[in-house]
Amino acid sequence: MKQDGSLCNNLKSIRTRLGMSQQDLANIAGVTRQTISGVESGQYAPSVAVSLRLAKALGCQVENLFWFEEDLPEVEAVLTKPVPTGRQVRVSLARVGGQWIAYPLVGNDAFRIEMIPADGEAQGQIGTNKVQVRLLDDMDKLHNTVVIAGCTPVISLWAKATERWHPQLRVHYNFANSMAALRSLDRGEVHIAGMHLYDPQTGEYNIPFVREALAGKSAVLITIGVWEEGLLVPPGNPMGIKTVSDLVDLGATIVNREPGSGSRMLLERKLQEEQVPFHTLKGFEHIVHSHKDVALSVVSGIADAGVSTASIATAFGLGFVLLHRARYDLVILKEYLEEAPVQQLLSTLGHRLVQSQLEVLGGYDISKIGEVVATI
């Protein structure tokens, strides 16, 4: 609530969180209920004495109750994607490579299951891709943030487990396919990119793609594990699908992933190996953008199959046809390895609680979790 144009307070939210009525607080603070009502509504600016009494009654500091709007700090940040000109936009913030990065909380990016709290509000665009952001959270919390882009559910499980040991550490997870995550790392928008891409020409996982995308930059690849990739099908595999060519022979309808995703690259590679033209596969151009959406398409009957992982099949109670085993790696620029939040996060890869979370997912071999598999 604002008072006197710029004086703000959160008296009501603190009072209600403590289960107090206006009269309860008035009795403890030695003021009238009308005073409490006037302060909360912004109709009355309290004196120093009343402010101190209210703070004491609520067990907090005066500055936790009252502040001037102009006292909220601002930072200049680089946007990760365009936002409408002249519109205020909620953003998440993190410090990456010496600059503030703003991640617009717009559309699907504003949600996981629940709405994501904002770190700040973008006030106005400065030039082409910079904004002035009014902070809504503590600066220390924002500094202690690690940003990861990737597409595996393992990242969110790892993040939650890590935050239990390091309560001051925050892990910001941006959903992105492997190539999009790598490009985001190259642009300096994230600390870590997760990827699972196979290069049939070299027989290597991820490394050739990292060398090409991060040309001239030094990076380290740390593995999370090897996961099973294949076709999600209805329980019991009623159509009897065993290969990708069966999809055409049996008239199955699929959903596909977007270009740049490991799942799409796997499907295209298998189709080429079995000499099946892409256009003969029903649903090849029906694009969804996550492993979860592939599973939901099969569960709902929209599709007969789609490429994802064994752990996703287990989570949704679906059948699974193994096509490939892929190594999932974390790609980190060397310059970020010395940052304390990144070190804290990586140190937990060897912890038993993290490993047990991955083991129960199914379809993961984590015997080499945390190993450095390449230095670029």
Side-chain angles (χ1 to χ4, degrees):
M1 179 61 64
K2 296 181 182 179
Q3 304 173 19
D4 291 351
S6 62
L7 182 64
C8 306
N9 79 80
N10 61 356
L11 182 62
K12 182 177 180 179
S13 63
I14 295 177
R15 173 180 61 77
T16 55
R17 189 171 72 239
L18 295 175
M20 290 185 184
S21 66
Q22 288 184 340
Q23 189 62 60
D24 292 333
L25 178 56
N27 292 340
I28 297 172
V31 299
T32 65
R33 187 195 63 78
Q34 289 77 13
T35 296
I36 303 299
S37 178
V39 172
E40 291 183 353
S41 65
Q43 301 299 312
Y44 170 64
S47 65
V48 173
V50 170
S51 299
L52 290 170
R53 288 180 182 179
L54 292 174
K56 183 178 180 180
L58 293 170
C60 65
Q61 301 295 316
V62 171
E63 54 265 37
N64 297 137
L65 285 179
F66 303 99
W67 66 93
F68 289 106
E69 185 177 27
E70 59 265 26
D71 288 343
L72 293 173
E74 292 188 355
V75 298
E76 184 179 287
V78 178
L79 286 166
T80 59
K81 61 180 63 175
V83 297
T85 303
R87 173 183 162 190
Q88 291 184 327
V89 176
R90 299 169 63 248
V91 297
S92 287
L93 288 168
R95 190 83 172 163
V96 181
Q99 63 182 349
W100 289 105
I101 306 296
Y103 310 90
L105 298 176
V106 177
N108 287 334
D109 292 331
F111 294 87
R112 292 296 180 260
I113 294 175
E114 73 286 354
M115 184 174 276
I116 300 170
D119 298 326
E121 183 181 41
Q123 296 292 322
Q125 201 149 339
I126 308 168
T128 55
N129 71 332
K130 290 190 176 182
V131 288
Q132 201 71 22
V133 179
R134 182 172 64 93
L135 301 186
L136 303 176
D137 214 329
D138 294 334
M139 183 73 78
D140 289 344
K141 177 180 176 182
L142 302 181
H143 273 292
N144 210 34
T145 300
V146 180
V147 188
I148 306 179
C151 67
T152 174
V154 165
I155 293 175
S156 58
L157 291 176
W158 176 33
K160 292 296 183 184
T162 296
E163 288 171 349
R164 290 177 58 182
W165 295 299
H166 302 290
Q168 303 306 314
L169 178 66
R170 187 178 66 155
V171 182
H172 184 79
Y173 174 31
N174 289 343
F175 180 85
N177 67 48
S178 295
M179 284 307 303
L182 199 53
R183 288 192 291 267
S184 189
L185 179 67
D186 181 54
R187 291 193 297 266
E189 297 171 352
V190 301
H191 297 98
I192 302 172
M195 59 185 304
H196 60 112
L197 299 179
Y198 176 74
D199 179 23
Q201 293 183 340
T202 62
E204 291 185 318
Y205 295 97
N206 302 320
I207 298 171
F209 302 93
V210 174
R211 285 199 178 108
E212 182 178 355
L214 301 183
K217 297 181 180 179
S218 299
V220 171
L221 279 73
I222 298 174
T223 192
I224 287 183
V226 176
W227 64 0
E228 296 179 349
E229 296 180 303
L231 295 171
L232 303 189
V233 296
N237 193 4
M239 297 183 74
I241 297 169
K242 297 180 180 178
T243 65
V244 293
S245 57
D246 287 343
L247 296 170
V248 176
D249 296 341
L250 297 171
T253 299
I254 70 159
V255 287
N256 203 356
R257 288 289 304 281
E258 73 281 8
S261 67
S263 297
R264 185 187 182 98
M265 294 174 70
L266 172 60
L267 176 61
E268 292 180 352
R269 188 173 78 249
K270 289 297 182 181
L271 289 171
Q272 290 170 342
E273 289 175 358
E274 298 182 29
Q275 298 183 339
V276 177
F278 296 171
H279 71 272
T280 61
L281 189 55
K282 288 197 297 185
F284 185 83
E285 299 300 332
H286 183 179
I287 305 300
V288 296
H289 294 273
S290 71
H291 292 288
K292 182 182 75 172
D293 288 343
V294 172
L296 290 175
S297 297
V298 177
V299 168
S300 65
I302 293 174
D304 299 309
V307 176
S308 187
T309 68
S311 59
I312 295 294
T314 298
F316 283 87
L318 295 170
F320 182 72
V321 179
L322 178 64
L323 296 177
H324 182 68
R325 289 180 174 86
R327 195 181 71 221
Y328 198 97
D329 293 335
L330 305 170
V331 187
I332 311 162
L333 295 186
K334 286 184 179 178
E335 64 190 270
Y336 300 155
L337 288 174
E338 299 303 317
E339 297 187 12
V342 174
Q343 290 181 347
Q344 284 185 333
L345 179 64
L346 294 177
S347 70
T348 63
L349 280 175
H351 199 287
R352 182 60 194 168
L353 181 54
V354 170
Q355 295 183 8
S356 62
Q357 287 287 338
L358 307 192
E359 286 170 348
V360 298
L361 278 176
Y364 271 90
D365 175 2
I366 60 168
S367 58
K368 296 186 178 181
I369 187 171
E371 287 191 10
V372 175
V373 293
T375 301
I376 307 298

